[in-house]
Amino acid sequence: MVPLPADPQDDLLPSATEVLGYRGPTACAAAGITYRQLDYWARTGLVEPSVRPAQGSGTQRLYAFRDILVLKVVKRLLDAGVSLQSIRAAVDHLAQRPEEALPGITLMSDGATVYECSSAHQVVELLQGGQGIFGIAVGAVAREVEASLSRLHGERADTGENVLGFDPSDELARRRNRAV
């Protein structure tokens, strides 16, 4: 969960102790997956919502930005033909990495194994060894997810209040949200 920065002039934005989450349909739109995939991955424990898990019939799961980033990475790995076993290992590995380290990671795969590279030198070494066939720059995926979420609705985890197109660096969006 990522606490959002407070804006003392804006009652519509979460304070530093409040958390913004995204409902399933928003997570699907940002990650480029179907709701059926999202539900299956949550039920099997591949990618579970970290803001609010489902708590019985009628409750809404809330996904954090990091969860959606991992969903999009999983989708890319599946599209590239990586085995589910290797994807689970990659998801577990990403879960252990601090969020601030994720943009500097490139995931490389030969289709069977997923490797983490955190420098251009490591990518070149892997390619020279003939192991890497394709790579996913997690930082680029994070920017895509941020762009998608800035156009979609978030929700405050504490109050359930909708936050429209929240982008913490976008002053114009904050002003628009105040006018709503």
Side-chain angles (χ1 to χ4, degrees), residues 100-120:
E100 59 273 3
L102 295 178
I105 293 174
T106 298
L107 296 176
M108 301 291 292
S109 181
D110 56 7
T113 305
V114 179
Y115 305 91
E116 176 192 330
C117 299
S118 54
S119 71

Side-chain angles (χ1 to χ4, degrees), residues 27-96:
C28 290
I33 61 173
T34 66
Y35 192 82
R36 191 176 197 149
Q37 287 173 306
L38 180 75
D39 184 54
Y40 178 73
W41 294 346
R43 285 186 290 111
T44 60
L46 180 62
V47 182
E48 297 176 283
S50 61
V51 176
R52 186 174 62 215
Q55 299 169 337
S57 180
T59 61
Q60 292 284 322
R61 296 180 184 119
L62 281 184
Y63 290 84
F65 172 83
R66 181 185 185 124
D67 302 331
I68 298 170
L69 172 61
V70 172
L71 289 168
K72 192 164 184 97
V73 168
V74 167
K75 169 80 164 105
R76 293 225 173 137
L77 291 169
L78 279 173
D79 289 349
V82 176
S83 73
L84 190 55
Q85 181 180 2
S86 293
I87 291 172
R88 283 191 185 279
V91 167
D92 290 344
H93 181 74
L94 288 175
Q96 296 171 12

